[in-house]
Amino acid sequence: VVVRVCRFVVMAVVLALLFALAATAGAQTLPIGTWTGQINIVPYTQSGSVYTCLSQCSNPAVVAPAAFIWQSNNLFINITAARDTRGCSVASQTYSIGGIVVHTRYPYYGGTFYSPPHSFPICFVFDNTGTFEFVLDGQGNCPTIPTTPVCTQLGTQVTQTWTGLSKPIPSGVFRGSISILPYTTSGTGAQCLTQCSPITTTSTLTFTYSTLRIDISSGRSPQGCTLNAQTYYVTGVVQHGAANYYGGMLTVATQTLPVCFYFYPGSAFVFMVDGRGSCPQAAASATCYAGAQPGTVVQIWAGRYSTVDAAHRLE
């Protein structure tokens, strides 16, 4: 049995910039940028032309990671596969809503939900706190505020209401510099090069959906310590606790580690790597010190990225 939410071919690929609000007609606004969070879905199964709600997965609904990418009056929804302890699950899916306009009043929006070769009207809620509610009934009926996630059986067909909460994250390309105090490795593990000052070099941050790519140029300290050019990826980026703090999973060689970082464009980027996902102070300087386990180190990188790549700017 295949569990589905809904399936269609992605309509476009978007590179949005900072979470912001794009003006529309009158005083109303549409969100813009990338938001990440969780979506609550009561799934269904399909057998031929018969669709059946999985009522046993309704209390509670399945909770899955999701990213929402707004570009102008279009919304792209990426849902990551999830499975709970009951065995209830949803598959990874991507959705598109186009031609979005404010529907009657904020925070209601109307548009066209695309599921090629089909499309149908949709009404949904998405407010400035990232709270959202989507009604997929093919008729464009609007959800109530608040509502709960449901799957409703209508003969051999089903309708769904999704709910959830998301938070904005940066997106786009940011250029600047970063300072790192490097370490060396030997048979006894890693050791900070404390005899050297932090190395400052050029760097680029690229936020695409919920992935951060960190490109770091090579550099050298006055004491002769060197830093090789490197590229790192942080996946599953989400807003983490306080404003301007983000969490995700850093891939280093064959390891995947939880990380937390602070980023305020034009002000500071502070990135902490301790293997536990601890968060740095927003005003922390670049440093390296011995970790809790023998042969391990903790690094804090500190940088400033004040330029957004104009080639990717959304007007």
Side-chain angles (χ1 to χ4, degrees):
V1 175
V2 178
V3 178
R4 291 184 172 86
V5 179
C6 191
R7 181 178 296 275
F8 76 104
V9 179
V10 66
M11 300 297 292
V13 177
V14 184
L15 179 62
L17 288 181
L18 288 176
F19 45 91
L21 292 177
T24 61
Q28 303 293 352
T29 58
L30 293 177
I32 195 168
T34 300
W35 302 62
T36 60
Q38 295 180 324
I39 191 168
N40 307 307
I41 297 173
V42 178
Y44 62 83
T45 59
Q46 178 186 358
S47 179
S49 60
V50 177
Y51 299 80
T52 305
C53 292
L54 294 177
S55 57
Q56 68 272 27
C57 299
S58 62
N59 189 20
V62 178
V63 179
F68 302 85
I69 302 95
W70 289 84
Q71 183 194 33
S72 185
N73 62 340
N74 299 296
L75 172 62
F76 301 86
I77 307 170
N78 294 329
I79 298 174
T80 301
R83 183 182 181 88
D84 62 23
T85 56
R86 300 167 299 177
C88 297
S89 63
V90 295
S92 294
Q93 302 286 335
T94 303
Y95 304 86
S96 170
I97 301 175
I100 297 172
V101 296
V102 174
H103 188 284
T104 309
R105 66 188 187 281
Y106 169 88
Y108 285 91
Y109 298 96
T112 301
F113 186 96
Y114 290 98
S115 181
H118 306 292
S119 62
F120 54 82
I122 185 173
C123 178
F124 63 97
V125 168
F126 199 105
D127 69 20
N128 56 15
T129 69
T131 298
F132 59 85
E133 300 170 356
F134 295 86
V135 172
L136 299 175
D137 65 356
Q139 304 300 314
N141 291 314
C142 295
T144 58
I145 303 177
T147 191
T148 56
V150 297
C151 180
T152 303
Q153 194 74 44
L154 299 174
T156 60
Q157 303 299 307
V158 300
T159 65
Q160 288 178 306
T161 298
W162 306 338
T163 68
L165 180 66
S166 62
K167 296 291 184 181
I169 62 172
S171 58
V173 181
F174 303 84
R175 304 188 188 280
S177 62
I178 194 166
S179 298
I180 298 175
L181 182 59
Y183 65 89
T184 186
T185 57
S186 64
T188 58
Q191 183 176 355
C192 297
L193 297 176
T194 54
Q195 70 273 25
C196 293
S197 57
I199 298 171
T200 301
T201 185
T202 57
S203 176
T204 301
L205 304 180
T206 305
F207 288 87
T208 306
Y209 302 144
S210 56
T211 296
L212 166 62
R213 171 174 169 160
I214 308 172
D215 291 294
I216 301 171
S217 300
S218 59
R220 184 181 182 90
S221 75
Q223 298 84 4
C225 293
T226 59
L227 182 70
N228 295 328
Q230 300 170 74
T231 297
Y232 297 98
Y233 290 89
V234 180
T235 57
V237 175
V238 295
Q239 194 172 100
H240 187 80
N244 304 316
Y245 276 93
Y246 305 92
M249 300 299 294
L250 170 69
T251 300
V252 181
T254 58
Q255 289 185 300
T256 301
L257 308 170
V259 292
C260 177
F261 61 95
Y262 175 89
F263 182 49
Y264 189 89
S267 175
F269 173 76
V270 185
F271 192 90
M272 186 169 186
V273 185
D274 68 351
R276 297 181 298 175
S278 302
C279 294
Q281 296 293 320
S285 301
T287 188
C288 180
Y289 56 88
Q293 299 297 320
T296 65
V297 299
V298 174
Q299 279 187 312
I300 296 179
W301 309 344
R304 182 182 295 270
Y305 298 79
S306 57
T307 302
V308 178
D309 187 345
H312 297 95
R313 185 181 300 278
L314 295 178
E315 300 297 346

